[in-house]
Amino acid sequence: MFNALTISQIFVLDQDQALDFYVGKLGLEVHTDADLGFMRWLTVNVPGQPDREILLERPGAPRMDEATAAQVRELLTKGAMAGTLFFTTDDCQKTYETLLAKGVEFTDEPTKRDYGIDCGLRDPFGNAIRFSQPLS
């Protein structure tokens, strides 16, 4: 059967803006940025983890026709098509403060939970991002 999960996907409205956010603010690195002709294949990964990519996909061809893509973009703008990404960090409070200083808007401040300390934010397209500091 399966032996790895290598690529997860979220929709973004603008791939250049997504790069500014995911690389410029969150500190991820570009894994692949390729013009395939029919689409731009843009993936990022956590530095040092190139085996697990996030596809930053703009709704459109070849996956969907333009009418469907327009509907998906509209729903994404409303937050109804948002994906969710989960990251871990060694220091949730420090990561929160670093990202806050970069202008990242948070939905949840660092909070201690039964499983660790976590907090949440949204990317510019409404996708939810959570990161946590697991209990040691």
Side-chain angles (χ1 to χ4, degrees):
M1 291 297 290
F2 306 115
N3 57 19
L5 175 61
T6 57
I7 301 174
S8 298
Q9 175 274 353
I10 58 172
F11 285 123
V12 299
L13 294 175
D14 181 304
Q15 290 176 309
D16 289 324
Q17 186 181 3
L19 272 181
D20 288 343
F21 182 78
Y22 282 93
V23 175
K25 292 190 176 183
L26 296 190
L28 302 185
E29 60 186 21
V30 175
H31 184 282
T32 304
D33 188 356
D35 181 355
L36 302 180
F38 55 88
M39 71 177 292
R40 180 180 179 188
W41 184 264
L42 177 62
T43 66
V44 295
N45 60 272
V46 172
Q49 296 191 336
D51 57 334
R52 183 72 199 274
E53 302 168 60
I54 302 165
L55 172 63
L56 304 173
E57 182 179 7
R58 188 175 187 286
R63 185 170 170 177
M64 55 189 75
D65 61 47
E66 183 49 38
T68 303
Q71 290 176 325
V72 171
R73 288 192 293 269
E74 181 179 347
L75 290 171
L76 183 61
T77 302
K78 294 177 179 178
M81 284 290 298
T84 303
L85 300 172
F86 292 90
F87 296 95
T88 58
T89 179
D90 293 331
D91 189 330
C92 190
Q93 184 67 39
K94 182 177 177 182
T95 301
Y96 168 79
E97 291 170 4
T98 298
L99 296 178
L100 196 61
K102 292 181 176 182
V104 172
E105 294 182 28
F106 281 82
T107 56
D108 300 296
E109 296 180 359
T111 303
K112 187 173 183 178
R113 311 237 186 240
D114 291 342
Y115 52 86
I117 302 170
D118 83 345
C119 61
L121 59 101
R122 281 198 186 100
D123 77 3
F125 317 102
N127 294 300
I129 298 171
R130 297 204 68 84
F131 57 90
S132 65
Q133 174 186 341
L135 294 176
S136 51

PDB file of all heavy atoms in Angstrom, residues 13 59 67-81 125:
ATOM      1  N   LEU A  13      -5.453  32.386  -4.291  1.00  0.00           N
ATOM      2  CA  LEU A  13      -5.946  33.213  -5.392  1.00  0.00           C
ATOM      3  C   LEU A  13      -4.820  33.786  -6.233  1.00  0.00           C
ATOM      4  O   LEU A  13      -5.008  34.051  -7.424  1.00  0.00           O
ATOM      5  CB  LEU A  13      -6.815  34.350  -4.852  1.00  0.00           C
ATOM      6  CG  LEU A  13      -8.111  33.908  -4.186  1.00  0.00           C
ATOM      7  CD1 LEU A  13      -8.834  35.105  -3.590  1.00  0.00           C
ATOM      8  CD2 LEU A  13      -8.994  33.165  -5.181  1.00  0.00           C
ATOM      9  N   PRO A  59      -7.076  28.022  -8.388  1.00  0.00           N
ATOM     10  CA  PRO A  59      -8.186  27.302  -9.021  1.00  0.00           C
ATOM     11  C   PRO A  59      -8.242  27.591 -10.522  1.00  0.00           C
ATOM     12  O   PRO A  59      -8.207  28.752 -10.934  1.00  0.00           O
ATOM     13  CB  PRO A  59      -9.432  27.866  -8.317  1.00  0.00           C
ATOM     14  CG  PRO A  59      -8.928  28.409  -7.022  1.00  0.00           C
ATOM     15  CD  PRO A  59      -7.533  28.893  -7.300  1.00  0.00           C
ATOM     16  N   ALA A  67     -15.721  28.370 -15.400  1.00  0.00           N
ATOM     17  CA  ALA A  67     -16.912  28.676 -14.594  1.00  0.00           C
ATOM     18  C   ALA A  67     -16.782  28.079 -13.192  1.00  0.00           C
ATOM     19  O   ALA A  67     -17.081  28.742 -12.186  1.00  0.00           O
ATOM     20  CB  ALA A  67     -18.165  28.146 -15.292  1.00  0.00           C
ATOM     21  N   THR A  68     -16.314  26.860 -13.115  1.00  0.00           N
ATOM     22  CA  THR A  68     -16.118  26.215 -11.815  1.00  0.00           C
ATOM     23  C   THR A  68     -15.009  26.921 -11.040  1.00  0.00           C
ATOM     24  O   THR A  68     -15.139  27.168  -9.834  1.00  0.00           O
ATOM     25  CB  THR A  68     -15.776  24.722 -12.002  1.00  0.00           C
ATOM     26  OG1 THR A  68     -16.826  24.103 -12.749  1.00  0.00           O
ATOM     27  CG2 THR A  68     -15.609  24.027 -10.674  1.00  0.00           C
ATOM     28  N   ALA A  69     -13.922  27.250 -11.732  1.00  0.00           N
ATOM     29  CA  ALA A  69     -12.815  27.949 -11.077  1.00  0.00           C
ATOM     30  C   ALA A  69     -13.277  29.279 -10.496  1.00  0.00           C
ATOM     31  O   ALA A  69     -12.884  29.647  -9.384  1.00  0.00           O
ATOM     32  CB  ALA A  69     -11.677  28.160 -12.069  1.00  0.00           C
ATOM     33  N   ALA A  70     -14.132  29.996 -11.234  1.00  0.00           N
ATOM     34  CA  ALA A  70     -14.641  31.277 -10.731  1.00  0.00           C
ATOM     35  C   ALA A  70     -15.464  31.064  -9.464  1.00  0.00           C
ATOM     36  O   ALA A  70     -15.369  31.844  -8.508  1.00  0.00           O
ATOM     37  CB  ALA A  70     -15.478  31.963 -11.809  1.00  0.00           C
ATOM     38  N   GLN A  71     -16.267  29.996  -9.433  1.00  0.00           N
ATOM     39  CA  GLN A  71     -17.055  29.697  -8.237  1.00  0.00           C
ATOM     40  C   GLN A  71     -16.145  29.346  -7.060  1.00  0.00           C
ATOM     41  O   GLN A  71     -16.376  29.768  -5.932  1.00  0.00           O
ATOM     42  CB  GLN A  71     -18.027  28.553  -8.517  1.00  0.00           C
ATOM     43  CG  GLN A  71     -19.143  28.927  -9.456  1.00  0.00           C
ATOM     44  CD  GLN A  71     -20.030  27.734  -9.795  1.00  0.00           C
ATOM     45  OE1 GLN A  71     -19.557  26.612  -9.903  1.00  0.00           O
ATOM     46  NE2 GLN A  71     -21.317  28.005  -9.970  1.00  0.00           N
ATOM     47  N   VAL A  72     -15.121  28.548  -7.333  1.00  0.00           N
ATOM     48  CA  VAL A  72     -14.189  28.163  -6.266  1.00  0.00           C
ATOM     49  C   VAL A  72     -13.466  29.406  -5.739  1.00  0.00           C
ATOM     50  O   VAL A  72     -13.302  29.579  -4.525  1.00  0.00           O
ATOM     51  CB  VAL A  72     -13.194  27.096  -6.767  1.00  0.00           C
ATOM     52  CG1 VAL A  72     -12.081  26.860  -5.748  1.00  0.00           C
ATOM     53  CG2 VAL A  72     -13.926  25.794  -7.074  1.00  0.00           C
ATOM     54  N   ARG A  73     -13.034  30.281  -6.631  1.00  0.00           N
ATOM     55  CA  ARG A  73     -12.364  31.515  -6.194  1.00  0.00           C
ATOM     56  C   ARG A  73     -13.298  32.357  -5.320  1.00  0.00           C
ATOM     57  O   ARG A  73     -12.875  32.919  -4.308  1.00  0.00           O
ATOM     58  CB  ARG A  73     -11.855  32.305  -7.394  1.00  0.00           C
ATOM     59  CG  ARG A  73     -10.642  31.668  -8.071  1.00  0.00           C
ATOM     60  CD  ARG A  73      -9.971  32.604  -9.075  1.00  0.00           C
ATOM     61  NE  ARG A  73     -10.800  32.867 -10.217  1.00  0.00           N
ATOM     62  CZ  ARG A  73     -10.800  32.144 -11.352  1.00  0.00           C
ATOM     63  NH1 ARG A  73     -10.008  31.093 -11.471  1.00  0.00           N
ATOM     64  NH2 ARG A  73     -11.578  32.473 -12.359  1.00  0.00           N
ATOM     65  N   GLU A  74     -14.567  32.440  -5.715  1.00  0.00           N
ATOM     66  CA  GLU A  74     -15.527  33.215  -4.927  1.00  0.00           C
ATOM     67  C   GLU A  74     -15.709  32.588  -3.542  1.00  0.00           C
ATOM     68  O   GLU A  74     -15.709  33.286  -2.530  1.00  0.00           O
ATOM     69  CB  GLU A  74     -16.872  33.286  -5.654  1.00  0.00           C
ATOM     70  CG  GLU A  74     -17.898  34.107  -4.893  1.00  0.00           C
ATOM     71  CD  GLU A  74     -19.241  34.196  -5.618  1.00  0.00           C
ATOM     72  OE1 GLU A  74     -19.310  33.835  -6.807  1.00  0.00           O
ATOM     73  OE2 GLU A  74     -20.213  34.605  -4.979  1.00  0.00           O
ATOM     74  N   LEU A  75     -15.843  31.273  -3.498  1.00  0.00           N
ATOM     75  CA  LEU A  75     -15.999  30.594  -2.205  1.00  0.00           C
ATOM     76  C   LEU A  75     -14.732  30.721  -1.362  1.00  0.00           C
ATOM     77  O   LEU A  75     -14.803  30.881  -0.140  1.00  0.00           O
ATOM     78  CB  LEU A  75     -16.354  29.122  -2.422  1.00  0.00           C
ATOM     79  CG  LEU A  75     -17.749  28.858  -2.979  1.00  0.00           C
ATOM     80  CD1 LEU A  75     -17.910  27.382  -3.351  1.00  0.00           C
ATOM     81  CD2 LEU A  75     -18.816  29.279  -1.972  1.00  0.00           C
ATOM     82  N   LEU A  76     -13.589  30.655  -2.011  1.00  0.00           N
ATOM     83  CA  LEU A  76     -12.325  30.809  -1.292  1.00  0.00           C
ATOM     84  C   LEU A  76     -12.254  32.192  -0.670  1.00  0.00           C
ATOM     85  O   LEU A  76     -11.843  32.346   0.487  1.00  0.00           O
ATOM     86  CB  LEU A  76     -11.154  30.569  -2.253  1.00  0.00           C
ATOM     87  CG  LEU A  76      -9.754  30.625  -1.669  1.00  0.00           C
ATOM     88  CD1 LEU A  76      -9.581  29.562  -0.589  1.00  0.00           C
ATOM     89  CD2 LEU A  76      -8.716  30.413  -2.765  1.00  0.00           C
ATOM     90  N   THR A  77     -12.652  33.199  -1.401  1.00  0.00           N
ATOM     91  CA  THR A  77     -12.651  34.572  -0.887  1.00  0.00           C
ATOM     92  C   THR A  77     -13.535  34.707   0.344  1.00  0.00           C
ATOM     93  O   THR A  77     -13.230  35.444   1.270  1.00  0.00           O
ATOM     94  CB  THR A  77     -13.125  35.553  -1.989  1.00  0.00           C
ATOM     95  OG1 THR A  77     -12.252  35.417  -3.109  1.00  0.00           O
ATOM     96  CG2 THR A  77     -13.128  36.977  -1.501  1.00  0.00           C
ATOM     97  N   LYS A  78     -14.619  33.941   0.366  1.00  0.00           N
ATOM     98  CA  LYS A  78     -15.541  33.971   1.503  1.00  0.00           C
ATOM     99  C   LYS A  78     -15.089  33.075   2.649  1.00  0.00           C
ATOM    100  O   LYS A  78     -15.726  33.018   3.688  1.00  0.00           O
ATOM    101  CB  LYS A  78     -16.935  33.543   1.047  1.00  0.00           C
ATOM    102  CG  LYS A  78     -17.573  34.516   0.079  1.00  0.00           C
ATOM    103  CD  LYS A  78     -18.928  33.996  -0.391  1.00  0.00           C
ATOM    104  CE  LYS A  78     -19.585  34.977  -1.340  1.00  0.00           C
ATOM    105  NZ  LYS A  78     -20.872  34.483  -1.846  1.00  0.00           N
ATOM    106  N   GLY A  79     -14.010  32.336   2.441  1.00  0.00           N
ATOM    107  CA  GLY A  79     -13.511  31.445   3.483  1.00  0.00           C
ATOM    108  C   GLY A  79     -14.188  30.096   3.500  1.00  0.00           C
ATOM    109  O   GLY A  79     -13.959  29.280   4.393  1.00  0.00           O
ATOM    110  N   ALA A  80     -15.040  29.820   2.513  1.00  0.00           N
ATOM    111  CA  ALA A  80     -15.791  28.569   2.496  1.00  0.00           C
ATOM    112  C   ALA A  80     -15.031  27.416   1.846  1.00  0.00           C
ATOM    113  O   ALA A  80     -15.473  26.275   1.943  1.00  0.00           O
ATOM    114  CB  ALA A  80     -17.120  28.774   1.762  1.00  0.00           C
ATOM    115  N   MET A  81     -13.932  27.690   1.201  1.00  0.00           N
ATOM    116  CA  MET A  81     -13.155  26.634   0.528  1.00  0.00           C
ATOM    117  C   MET A  81     -11.783  26.472   1.161  1.00  0.00           C
ATOM    118  O   MET A  81     -10.877  25.910   0.566  1.00  0.00           O
ATOM    119  CB  MET A  81     -12.963  26.981  -0.952  1.00  0.00           C
ATOM    120  CG  MET A  81     -14.166  26.762  -1.817  1.00  0.00           C
ATOM    121  SD  MET A  81     -14.564  25.026  -2.074  1.00  0.00           S
ATOM    122  CE  MET A  81     -13.101  24.441  -2.906  1.00  0.00           C
ATOM    123  N   PHE A 125      -5.662  34.094   1.891  1.00  0.00           N
ATOM    124  CA  PHE A 125      -6.735  33.521   1.077  1.00  0.00           C
ATOM    125  C   PHE A 125      -7.783  32.803   1.918  1.00  0.00           C
ATOM    126  O   PHE A 125      -8.675  32.154   1.382  1.00  0.00           O
ATOM    127  CB  PHE A 125      -6.140  32.568   0.033  1.00  0.00           C
ATOM    128  CG  PHE A 125      -4.911  33.153  -0.608  1.00  0.00           C
ATOM    129  CD1 PHE A 125      -3.653  32.735  -0.227  1.00  0.00           C
ATOM    130  CD2 PHE A 125      -5.025  34.174  -1.546  1.00  0.00           C
ATOM    131  CE1 PHE A 125      -2.519  33.301  -0.786  1.00  0.00           C
ATOM    132  CE2 PHE A 125      -3.905  34.746  -2.109  1.00  0.00           C
ATOM    133  CZ  PHE A 125      -2.642  34.314  -1.732  1.00  0.00           C
TER     134      PHE A 125
END
